[in-house]
Each structure stands twice: as C-alpha cells, then as structure tokens.
Amino acid sequence: METAAYIDTLESEGDALLAAAERAGPDAEVPSCPGWRVRDLVLHTGNVHRWAGGYVAEARAEPRPIGEENVTDAELAAWFRDGHRRLADCLREAREDLECWSFLDGSPSTRAFWARRQAHETCVHRVDAELAAGAELGPVTAEFAGDGIDELLTGFHTRSRSRVRSERPVTLAVRASDVPGGEWTVRMSQLPPAVERGADGETDCRLSGPAATLYLALWNRLPYGDGVRIEGDASVATLWQQTSAIG
C-alpha cells in the first residue's frame, strides 16, 4: 500500500473509532480488552497518536515512553479528535526521506512505517470500540487486512519481546484466501517465532479464511469460529491465542 492510502485509512478509522466510542459511552466495558472501559480505550489511542506524531513532527531519533495525558469525559472526544487530526496532518506533510525512530523493520521509510503502524493501531482499536458498543463491525479491506497480518507476523512476533513460545517446536501456517500471496509460516519454539512468507512445507496447524477475518482473529478481536478454518492440531491455534497479545 502507498503511504497516502495508510493516512487515508488512519483518518477514516479514527473517525469511526470515536463514533463507536460515543455510541457506547465512556463507562462501557471493552470485551476485547479485559479491564478496560471505553474511556481507557480512547485515552490509550489518543496518547499513542500523540506519541507517534511526536516522532514524525519533531524527527525524534530516540525512543520515548508513551505519554499518559488524562482528560475528563466531557473533554475526551475533542481531545481525541485533535490528536488524531494532528497525527494525520504531520504524516501528510512529512518528507518521504524523514529520519526518525521506529521499531519494526520492513518499511521503505520511517514516514511509511508510522503511517502504516498508526493505520493498523487505529483500525484494531476501532473494532474494540464497536465491540464495546455492540455494533456491527465496520469493514476491513482484504488488501489492508493482508498487510496487517504481514505486519503482525513478520514484524511484531519476530522480535524478542514476543511472548509466543512453545516447549516443543510447532509450525502454524496462515492463509488469507482473498489476498494474492497471502500465506505465512510461523515456526514456534522456545525462541522468538521465525516467520516466512509462503506456506509450502508440512505444518502442525493451518488457519485459513478471508484476510479481514484472519486479521481480527490473529489480533484476538474475533474468535476463530467466525469464518476461520482450523486444520490439523488445534492446540497450536489455541497457543497463539493464549500467548500473542501485544503489550
């Protein structure tokens, strides 16, 4: 995807997140984030938007902790909207050769990294808000979902911080049925997962389904039963669910 497309998605997903949050109300529980209420979800996402925007707008070269601004329920929507708009604006205005800190490999530039990361961050939390509101989930395009699966598997879970571990070596194959080349192989062991694009060899378990469904299932926003087919040793799929949460 082009950087501009990620920024467009970031804008629309943030608008949809806030609309769902306002329908749910600040006290509503967020079933996909145990212990959170909607105000926690909106505060978290708004603080992440400000944190990410700081790297882009100020070309920050060193990591900083995510801020913890706190606002009243009455101020929450305007505060979120302001940070979301400023993040999108600074991404649009940034030079393509921007140099700043980032934390996943594979993007052509740090500007592209932050646009991609914040688009997916905001999309997943938009789904959280819709789940809290009891609303029908908005769509995720196959292209964007396939990209998000790739970021999750090859980016997040190849890092040492991933908690996905297995006492015995096992292999999980993931296939997005509506994305060209949408296949990945995840080799789990006592070390961080090793992930390859493609799924040619033998596997212990295979997850397959539409990219949007897989995307949300792998992020633990939907159960596997909602459109994801499990073949082989289902305990491997359960292991993913139990250990893959991103901290």
Side-chain angles (χ1 to χ4, degrees):
M1 289 178 60
E2 297 293 327
T3 300
Y6 288 124
I7 300 170
D8 289 344
T9 301
L10 164 64
E11 288 185 314
S12 62
E13 292 291 348
D15 291 345
L17 186 161
L18 186 58
E22 290 181 318
R23 288 199 302 274
D27 286 323
E29 294 183 357
V30 184
S32 46
C33 300
W36 272 12
R37 296 187 182 274
V38 164
R39 68 168 58 84
D40 303 308
L41 174 67
V42 177
L43 280 169
H44 166 78
T45 312
N47 279 317
V48 169
H49 285 170
R50 285 163 168 75
W51 173 74
Y55 291 108
V56 177
E58 301 172 23
R60 293 177 183 170
E62 300 295 331
R64 297 185 184 183
I66 297 172
E68 295 185 359
E69 291 187 39
N70 212 337
V71 297
T72 67
D73 289 350
E75 299 168 325
L76 192 57
W79 174 85
F80 177 89
R81 194 177 289 111
D82 178 62
H84 172 236
R85 177 189 53 77
R86 286 193 283 123
L87 172 61
D89 286 349
C90 76
L91 283 166
R92 288 201 188 280
E93 294 165 3
R95 293 165 55 100
E96 193 56 44
D97 61 356
L98 168 74
E99 293 187 10
C100 66
W101 181 79
S102 62
F103 61 90
L104 297 180
D105 296 329
S107 290
S109 69
T110 52
R111 175 178 179 253
F113 163 80
W114 283 112
R116 180 194 200 197
R117 175 82 290 278
Q118 290 309 299
H120 287 295
E121 173 86 9
T122 308
C123 177
V124 169
H125 287 319
R126 179 266 295 173
V127 171
D128 291 328
E130 290 173 340
L131 291 169
E136 181 179 352
L137 298 186
V140 181
T141 68
E143 180 186 17
F144 183 71
D147 178 78
I149 294 169
D150 189 76
E151 184 202 45
L152 178 65
L153 298 182
T154 68
F156 278 105
H157 283 292
T158 56
R159 300 188 302 165
S160 60
R161 294 180 60 180
S162 174
R163 296 187 303 110
V164 175
R165 298 287 192 277
S166 175
E167 289 298 317
R168 62 182 178 89
V170 293
T171 302
L172 174 69
V174 176
R175 179 177 181 271
S177 58
D178 51 353
V179 174
E183 294 185 316
W184 299 264
T185 300
V186 183
R187 303 187 190 282
M188 306 180 201
S189 67
Q190 296 181 43
L191 299 173
V195 181
E196 304 168 6
R197 294 184 179 98
D200 297 329
E202 291 187 7
T203 60
D204 297 287
C205 178
R206 181 183 301 275
L207 301 178
S208 59
T213 306
L214 277 172
Y215 174 59
L216 296 180
L218 290 167
W219 272 106
N220 290 326
R221 265 53 186 190
L222 289 178
Y224 289 137
D226 288 358
V228 176
R229 182 181 181 186
I230 302 176
E231 300 171 89
D233 184 354
S235 70
V236 177
T238 300
L239 175 68
W240 176 273
Q241 285 183 314
Q242 294 173 340
T243 61
S244 65
I246 301 294

